Amino acid sequence: YLALLALFVISAPFWLPVSLGGDTSYHFVLSDSMKGTVDPGAFVVLRRSNHYQVGDAVGYWQDVGNGERVTIFHRIISLFF
């Protein structure tokens, strides 16, 4: 049991949500902007990456006012540097 507990604690940053100090965000897709690839109602797991490329599906936050923000989920179609 001790080894299982240690594995649970060591892996926590990978599955704990950001609100609890982890690196992962969990969301349901609400729109049909990616229909066919990711349909409305799909459950997505988002993790930060050090490298993004064209074709990646990514999520980001957009402020909507009153201190609230929503998660936007889209596919990268081009990169500008």
Side-chain angles (χ1 to χ4, degrees), residues 29-62:
V29 176
L30 301 177
S31 74
D32 62 354
S33 66
M34 292 182 59
K35 191 171 184 175
T37 304
V38 182
D39 293 327
F43 181 73
V44 294
V45 178
L46 303 174
R47 298 221 28 199
R48 182 169 292 164
S49 176
N50 292 325
H51 177 73
Y52 298 98
Q53 59 188 7
V54 172
D56 289 348
V58 298
Y60 60 92
W61 288 302
Q62 181 174 345

Side-chain angles (χ1 to χ4, degrees), residues 5-81:
L5 178 61
L7 180 62
F8 182 77
V9 170
I10 291 170
S11 68
F14 299 103
W15 55 264
L16 267 177
V18 172
S19 61
L20 296 177
D23 295 329
T24 306
S25 295
Y26 302 94
H27 301 278
F28 285 99
V29 176
L30 301 177
S31 74
D32 62 354
S33 66
M34 292 182 59
K35 191 171 184 175
T37 304
V38 182
D39 293 327
F43 181 73
V44 294
V45 178
L46 303 174
R47 298 221 28 199
R48 182 169 292 164
S49 176
N50 292 325
H51 177 73
Y52 298 98
Q53 59 188 7
V54 172
D56 289 348
V58 298
Y60 60 92
W61 288 302
Q62 181 174 345
D63 291 326
V64 293
N66 298 328
E68 294 183 41
R69 60 185 184 179
V70 295
T71 301
I72 308 296
F73 185 64
H74 283 297
R75 185 164 310 281
I76 297 174
I77 59 170
S78 65
L79 298 174
F80 298 97
F81 292 99

